[in-house]
Structures are given as structure tokens and as C-alpha cells.
Amino acid sequence: ITSNSKQSFVFREGNFYLSVLILKIHSIRLKKMAGIVVVFDFDKTIIDLDSDNWVVDELGATDLFNQLLPTMPWNSVMDRMMKELHEQGKTIKVIEEVLKRAPVIPRVVPAIKAAHALGCDLRIVSDANLFYIETILNHLGISDCFMEIHTNPGYVDEEGKLRIRPHHDFHASSHGCSSNTCPPNMCKGLVIERIQASLGKKRMIYLGDGAGDFCPSLKLKEQDFVMPRKDFPVWKLINENRDLVKAEIHGWSDGEEQEHILLQIIKTISMEDNQFLSVDCKFQTIPINAVHEAMPKALPVPY
């Protein structure tokens, strides 16, 4: 279990049942928190900018990007940009170093670590790409916090060139979503529906900022929560279509507010769903007479 639970076994034998109760409470709380799925967008939700623009601008390729953008979908432009940068001698190592310098929203890393430590199931659904996301998460030391990453494939080919492919192969077929907020390469709403199909009764918290985060917001249920970034495209879309959004809406402006609201929602869900003290822990199992000496300091139960 956790290091704290290991410490409980040094209690005196007379207090054994007390330590077992504390362990059981801790275990039950973690199991209940596992009933909460937190889904993060990546750009402007974890890092504080668009990762594609950041790489292009930092490597001095903005003009070429702007020339190509009117001629093909964004995802295809980025694959082409990686080819051009490779031909200019920009190595994978150079791209990695640029990604490691990307500014992160303050307090988002502690928020992610706290939600993970509480036992929540964390996932990313992003229109960035896997290479960018994994590079930054590894640099921040939070890659192990996430169970799944749903994004555009990004990989280094045999020539040492970064390739960026679409999450959905729109050249072969449409993803079928009728929303005009979803790009051809990815419908986050469809991703959320697939996640929901595997969740059972788990409740979801969705955090995002862009227009592409509107479609998944519409897929959330009444028991769920959506956290749009204030004054960003998804915030405007949600406010214009509140009657279409079933989930409870909690906007955030900065990392401190994001952290506070996210952890408060997790705490609220746990209080509503757990009821663990009255249902799962039976106080009559503690042999009070056995605790005849001064009671050792109890282990804290995290909230």
C-alpha cells in the first residue's frame, strides 16, 4: 500500500486492530477515488500555449507554416513542417529541447500529482501529438500519472525525422461527427464516448480550452463535471449552448484556480459516493479493551 500504511505495523500488538482499521479506511478511499476519471486536454490546459506553434516559432519556421496552412489541414501541415525542419538540420534532440522549454501552467503539475495520489484515473485527450506530449510529461516527471493518452501519433522514423499522423485517418474516411468544432483528424467526443463505454459507473471530470473540447463536453452526463478555461473558445461555446451541456460547469482562469476547483470537485465526489465510514468500516470490530495504553498518533486519512 503506501509508506504510511507500512508505518502502521510498528504499532504495539494491543493496537493492531486500530491500525488495521486505518489501513482499511485508506484502502477504501483509494478504491472510491478510482471511480473518478479526470480527462485533461494538453495545449493551454497543461502547458500554457499551443505546442505546434511553440515548436514552429522557436525553430524559426513561422513564415513557412503560415504559407502552408491555407493549403492543407493543420495535422498535415505539421507533418510537412517536421520534414522541412529535418532537411534544415533540426534534429530530434533540438526539438526535444524546445519542448522541454515550453511554459507549463503554474500549479497544474501539483494538481495532477495530487489527483493521482488520491487514486483518480487520469487521461489525456489532445489534438497535439504523442511525441510532444510524452516528451513534456517525462520532463515534468508526471508521465506515470496518466493511464491513457489519446492523441495524434507522433514518432521518429528510420531517417531520424519526426512524423505526425492523424488520430483518425481522414484521407480514408470521415470520423462521422457532424460538429463543426471538430477537426477532420480527431473528434474528441467520439474518444470520450469510447472511454465512457469502459467506465461503468465512474464519474468524469473534463478539462479543456479549445473549440475541439466542446464536442466532448456535450457527451458528459449529469453526474459529470466540465472545467472549461474562461475566456477561451470552449468557454464561449458552452456559455452560448448551456442547455446542451448536461454536466456541471466549473470555469477556471489560471493554474491556481484550476488546482483548487479540480481538487474540490474530487473531494465533493468522494463525499457523495463514499459514505465509507458508515458502510464499509464497522467500529464494533475494534477491541477497545485492547487499547489499554496511551494511543499512538493515528495516521492521517487524506482528503
Side-chain angles (χ1 to χ4, degrees), residues 1-2 4-9 16-30 281 299 301:
I1 309 177
T2 65
N4 280 346
S5 64
K6 291 178 183 177
Q7 294 173 11
S8 68
F9 284 105
F16 174 76
Y17 288 108
L18 177 63
S19 68
V20 169
L21 174 65
I22 294 169
L23 283 172
K24 187 172 183 181
I25 293 172
H26 183 67
S27 175
I28 291 167
R29 180 169 288 278
L30 286 180
C281 297
L299 296 177
V301 178

Side-chain angles (χ1 to χ4, degrees), residues 33-303:
M33 292 294 192
I36 303 172
V37 178
V38 185
V39 179
F40 288 84
D41 179 29
F42 189 72
D43 292 347
K44 301 181 184 178
T45 300
I46 292 179
I47 64 171
D48 207 6
L49 41 66
D50 181 281
S51 55
D52 287 330
N53 286 334
W54 172 255
V55 170
V56 167
D57 293 345
E58 288 293 295
L59 295 180
T62 307
D63 290 343
L64 177 58
F65 176 83
N66 290 336
Q67 292 172 19
L68 291 174
L69 190 56
T71 68
M72 62 185 81
W74 184 292
N75 183 259
S76 302
V77 171
M78 287 311 302
D79 186 56
R80 173 71 179 275
M81 290 302 303
M82 294 303 107
K83 177 184 177 183
E84 297 291 338
L85 290 170
H86 178 74
E87 291 177 354
Q88 294 175 16
K90 301 297 193 296
T91 65
I92 293 299
K93 183 68 175 177
V94 169
I95 295 173
E96 286 176 337
E97 291 306 313
V98 168
L99 290 168
K100 291 175 184 178
R101 297 198 303 268
V104 179
I105 294 177
R107 300 303 305 171
V108 72
V109 171
I112 288 169
K113 289 182 176 179
H116 178 257
L118 287 168
C120 294
D121 173 352
L122 307 187
R123 310 186 188 206
I124 289 175
V125 177
S126 167
D127 195 19
N129 69 77
L130 190 61
F131 182 85
Y132 286 5
I133 294 172
E134 287 189 333
T135 299
I136 293 173
L137 294 184
N138 286 331
H139 177 64
L140 297 175
I142 55 175
S143 58
D144 290 342
C145 293
F146 293 93
M147 178 174 290
E148 290 181 346
I149 299 174
H150 299 264
T151 188
N152 299 297
Y155 62 93
V156 181
D157 68 12
E158 64 278 359
E159 297 177 359
K161 178 170 69 266
L162 180 58
R163 302 304 308 273
I164 299 173
R165 297 304 193 192
H167 178 268
H168 173 81
D169 185 3
F170 57 90
H171 297 293
S173 65
S174 167
H175 51 53
C177 179
S178 60
S179 173
N180 59 10
T181 62
C182 294
N185 61 290
M186 187 177 197
C187 171
K188 293 184 179 181
L190 294 176
V191 175
I192 291 301
E193 285 182 332
R194 288 195 289 269
I195 294 175
Q196 288 173 326
S198 66
L199 292 185
K201 296 182 179 180
K202 293 183 180 181
R203 302 173 73 178
M204 184 178 292
I205 306 169
Y206 186 95
L207 298 88
D209 69 281
D213 296 306
F214 180 61
C215 185
S217 299
L218 300 181
K219 306 297 182 182
L220 301 177
K221 302 174 183 178
E222 291 182 358
Q223 66 178 10
D224 299 326
F225 298 81
V226 59
M227 291 179 57
R229 191 171 185 180
K230 292 178 182 176
D231 301 321
F232 279 70
V234 71
W235 173 257
K236 181 175 184 292
L237 288 165
I238 285 176
N239 277 286
E240 291 174 349
N241 300 275
R242 280 184 175 254
D243 56 325
L244 301 180
V245 181
K246 300 183 184 72
E248 195 169 304
I249 303 166
H250 294 269
W252 58 278
S253 299
D254 54 33
E256 184 175 350
E257 193 172 18
Q258 183 201 97
E259 178 188 36
H260 173 75
I261 293 172
L262 175 61
L263 297 182
Q264 187 61 45
I265 291 174
I266 292 171
K267 181 179 179 181
T268 299
I269 294 174
S270 69
M271 290 175 65
E272 291 176 357
D273 290 355
N274 280 336
Q275 301 296 322
F276 65 95
L277 284 177
S278 60
V279 175
D280 293 292
C281 297
K282 306 299 183 183
F283 284 101
Q284 62 266 29
T285 62
I286 307 176
I288 299 298
N289 293 335
V291 190
H292 52 80
E293 298 182 21
M295 190 177 293
K297 186 177 181 180
L299 296 177
V301 178
Y303 286 92

